[in-house]
Amino acid sequence: MAKERGVLKMIWNGFISSLKPRFASRKLIGEDYYGTKYYEEDIRNSARKRPPRYFVPVNKEDFQQELPAEWEAWLRYRRKEPPTREEIEANYQLAITKKENAAKLLENRSKNDNTTNLPASSTQAATPGNFPVYEDMKGFGSDYKPKDSYK
């Protein structure tokens, strides 16, 4: 025979688990290079399938702080295992390399960009935005008269 779950038993277990301190059931998983600590809680007396994951920032007043992509993926359950320090360091070095390469490309492009010697286009001065003007459509709609005279 199947074990029945009583409503009163569920309420009692929930009440008892709410009296237990929460800090005792959390486990420190790791820390990023900003100093943010990441935790995972135990799910002993809960109907949850996945343990709650959260972080505690260094500066609690800063609501727009950056989270590394690896840790954010772990927090949102996109990955099972937390990121290793070597993985975070390798991705950080890759990001720095990409920023340096982008700065070099921008510098080379600004050196080789000769837009000052180009003639100004006549269509850009006459029309707003980047819309092209076609010769066969230039006068289209100029002879339009509304049906109502008050318009």
Side-chain angles (χ1 to χ4, degrees):
M1 182 152 197
K3 180 180 175 184
E4 294 184 23
R5 297 188 331 187
V7 175
L8 292 176
K9 185 175 182 180
M10 289 173 57
I11 292 172
W12 178 256
N13 288 341
F15 174 70
I16 294 298
S17 66
S18 70
L19 295 177
K20 294 179 184 176
R22 293 179 61 88
F23 63 87
S25 65
R26 71 181 184 184
K27 181 171 55 172
L28 178 66
I29 300 298
E31 186 175 344
D32 64 6
Y33 44 85
Y34 294 122
T36 305
K37 296 182 180 184
Y38 298 88
Y39 295 96
E40 187 173 58
E41 287 188 4
D42 294 336
I43 53 168
R44 284 179 264 159
N45 298 326
S46 176
R48 298 182 75 155
K49 294 180 181 170
R50 298 187 293 191
R53 297 174 175 173
Y54 60 94
F55 68 97
V56 177
V58 176
N59 186 4
K60 293 183 176 29
E61 284 80 31
D62 185 16
F63 294 108
Q64 294 185 351
Q65 76 173 27
E66 288 187 37
L67 290 178
E70 300 87 7
W71 279 112
E72 187 170 359
W74 179 79
L75 282 172
R76 295 176 184 259
Y77 302 101
R78 291 188 199 126
R79 59 186 294 166
K80 292 181 181 179
E81 299 298 321
T84 62
R85 183 155 309 268
E86 293 82 20
E87 178 187 359
I88 294 172
E89 190 64 33
N91 289 345
Y92 184 67
Q93 291 299 327
L94 182 66
I96 289 175
T97 305
K98 286 182 179 181
K99 285 181 183 179
E100 290 172 355
N101 289 344
K104 287 178 187 175
L105 284 174
L106 187 62
E107 183 180 325
N108 289 342
R109 184 174 179 179
S110 65
K111 286 181 184 177
N112 297 335
D113 197 9
N114 294 329
T115 57
T116 56
N117 298 337
L118 295 177
S121 175
S122 61
T123 58
Q124 286 183 350
T127 60
N130 295 329
F131 298 107
V133 176
Y134 300 107
E135 292 299 322
D136 57 341
M137 300 295 278
K138 217 169 203 177
F140 183 75
S142 61
D143 59 344
Y144 172 74
K145 293 192 175 146
K147 291 180 184 177
D148 296 332
S149 62
Y150 64 91
K151 286 187 179 179

